């Protein structure tokens, strides 16, 4: 009759040694001596009743049995870590970390947050507006609002709003922009982060490879809109949300060419966090708010682009 199974610690040590294929490297990672790692591995081997490593001079490698056990333990430890992380996040219901793009946050989310806070007065929000893709799997945020073509594999998401791109500029500058080819003589306002903008638009209107006279690049959309409103260049605006920006009333669409599809806003979270009450509450509220506002946004787009 077999004695009790190896300790959780011994199995962890074996798993790290198997991943590293080295007792020395495993020891460095775990803060143990190579002999301590070897001792714990031998304890697992003794329980299994067969070698898990082939030991050679200054080198070890897994046996076929060791490879099988290593793979299964790696999956088991991943499941355990995921379950523990999910339980911890669900137990802390007083805070929610949101990563949202600057334009979405400034012109749409912030004006509506009071309604969410009224529904959840005990919930503290932390909003990251850096124009970068945070790593949800590493826990950099609980919920993210992204401009993408589709939900990233491995995440759960819901589409909020389809986006379309069209050039925008001041009325004075619009007099010199009658066709897409005219943009080759203009200053194009671009972004240093996010999805490719102008190259996709040029390809969409049948002018692939067209190069502007110069570019003016910003790291966020609100600054780019301000520059366009001051006549600094032509902005590729994402409709319809860009039209809600404070300075957008000073911009017009100089071309009659139909806007080009530019992905959509999605709200996403880790699949494991779908059971979190705070994540569920925010995503449900966000989706309902957007559904209630889509008609107004599309009407605004039609009125401004006539």
């Amino acid at each position: 009759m077999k004695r009790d199974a190896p300790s959780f610690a011994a199995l962890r040590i074996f798993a790290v040694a198997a991943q590293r294929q080295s007792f020395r490297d495993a020891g460095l990672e775990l803060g143990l001596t190579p002999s301590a790692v070897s001792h714990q591995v031998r304890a697992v081997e003794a329980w299994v009743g067969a070698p898990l490593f082939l030991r050679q001079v200054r080198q070890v490698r897994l046996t076929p049995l060791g490879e099988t056990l290593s793979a299964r333990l790696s999956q088991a430890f991943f499941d355990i870590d995921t379950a523990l992380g999910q339980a911890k996040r669900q137990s802390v219901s007083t805070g929610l970390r949101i990563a949202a793009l600057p334009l979405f946050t400034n012109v749409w989310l912030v004006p509506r947050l009071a309604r969410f806070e009224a529904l959840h007065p005990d919930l503290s929000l932390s909003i990251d507006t850096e124009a970068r893709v945070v790593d949800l799997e590493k826990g950099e945020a609980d919920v993210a609002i992204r401009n993408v073509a589709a939900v990233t594999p491995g995440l759960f998401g819901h589409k909020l709003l389809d986006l379309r791109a069209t050039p925008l500029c001041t009325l004075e500058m619009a007099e010199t922009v009658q066709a897409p080819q005219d943009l080759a003589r203009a200053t194009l306002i671009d972004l240093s982060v996010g999805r490719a903008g102008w190259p996709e638009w040029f390809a969409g209107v049948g002018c692939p490879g067209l190069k502007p006279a110069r570019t003016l690049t910003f790291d966020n959309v609100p600054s780019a809109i301000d520059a366009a409103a001051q006549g600094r260049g032509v902005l590729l605006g994402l409709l319809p949300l860009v039209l809600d920006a404070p300075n957008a009333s000073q911009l017009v669409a100089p071309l009659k060419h139909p806007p080009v599809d530019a992905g959509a806003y999605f709200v996403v979270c880790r699949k494991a966090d779908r059971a979190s009450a705070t994540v569920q509450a925010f995503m449900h509220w966000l989706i309902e708010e957007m559904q209630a506002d889509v008609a107004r946004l599309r009407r605004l787009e039609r009125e401004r682009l006539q």
Side-chain angles (χ1 to χ4, degrees):
M1 181 177 180
K2 291 239 181 235
R3 61 183 183 277
D4 291 341
S7 68
F8 186 86
L11 294 174
R12 275 283 194 189
I13 291 169
F14 164 76
V16 174
Q19 181 183 30
R20 297 296 184 185
Q21 294 281 296
S22 167
F23 291 172
R24 184 183 69 84
D25 291 348
L28 289 174
E29 180 175 333
L30 297 168
L32 300 172
T33 64
S35 60
V37 173
S38 178
H39 177 75
Q40 293 296 330
V41 170
R42 287 192 183 280
V44 178
E45 290 176 322
W47 191 90
V48 170
L52 300 174
F53 282 95
L54 294 177
R55 292 162 174 81
Q56 301 170 336
V57 178
R58 296 183 181 179
Q59 183 181 7
V60 295
R61 59 187 179 88
L62 288 167
T63 64
L65 180 60
E67 290 178 353
T68 299
L69 181 60
S70 172
R72 291 180 176 177
L73 284 178
S74 294
Q75 182 61 51
F77 286 134
F78 176 81
D79 291 342
I80 290 171
D81 291 342
T82 300
L84 289 172
Q86 179 181 352
K88 181 175 179 60
R89 289 190 294 270
Q90 291 178 18
S91 69
V92 181
S93 58
T94 58
L96 183 68
R97 297 165 303 153
I98 304 163
L101 296 169
L103 177 66
F104 187 93
T105 302
N106 292 356
V107 309
W108 195 89
L109 180 60
V110 170
R112 293 165 175 78
L113 273 182
R115 293 202 281 270
F116 180 77
E117 292 171 333
L119 295 172
H120 305 275
D122 298 327
L123 184 61
S124 297
L125 302 179
S126 174
I127 303 177
D128 179 351
T129 60
E130 289 188 44
R132 66 184 183 93
V133 179
V134 302
D135 193 331
L136 293 177
E137 294 294 355
K138 290 184 177 179
E140 292 184 352
D142 301 311
V143 178
I145 295 134
R146 296 176 173 172
N147 172 14
V148 292
V151 177
T152 303
L155 298 179
F156 169 76
H158 190 284
K159 182 189 290 188
L160 295 173
L161 181 68
D162 286 311
L163 299 173
R164 302 190 301 158
T166 196
L168 297 172
C169 63
T170 60
L171 186 60
E172 180 181 6
M173 186 170 291
E175 296 177 0
T176 64
V177 181
Q178 303 297 317
Q181 292 79 3
D182 294 335
L183 294 172
R185 299 187 295 273
T187 296
L188 300 190
I189 297 176
D190 208 351
L191 295 172
S192 60
V193 293
R195 302 180 62 202
W198 282 110
E200 289 184 356
W201 186 84
F202 283 129
V205 297
C207 298
L210 190 149
K211 301 293 184 182
R214 64 192 64 83
T215 59
L216 179 60
T217 304
F218 293 90
D219 65 357
N220 65 86
V221 178
S223 295
I225 295 173
D226 290 344
Q230 294 173 28
R232 301 300 301 162
V234 182
L235 168 74
L236 188 63
L238 290 182
L239 304 171
L241 214 58
V242 66
L243 300 176
D244 261 347
N247 288 337
S249 60
Q250 302 176 47
L251 302 176
V252 298
L255 302 177
K256 298 303 181 182
H257 197 285
V260 174
D261 289 341
Y265 281 126
F266 284 82
V267 57
V268 298
C269 69
R270 291 174 290 263
K271 288 184 177 179
D273 285 347
R274 292 180 63 185
S276 166
T278 53
V279 170
Q280 277 189 1
F282 181 77
M283 292 184 69
H284 180 73
W285 171 82
L286 189 69
I287 292 166
E288 284 197 338
E289 284 284 330
M290 183 58 79
Q291 288 175 342
D293 197 39
V294 166
R296 179 192 69 84
L297 288 169
R298 294 305 180 195
R299 183 172 62 253
L300 177 63
E301 179 180 340
R302 290 193 300 271
E303 293 171 353
R304 290 290 307 279
L305 297 185
Q306 284 181 348

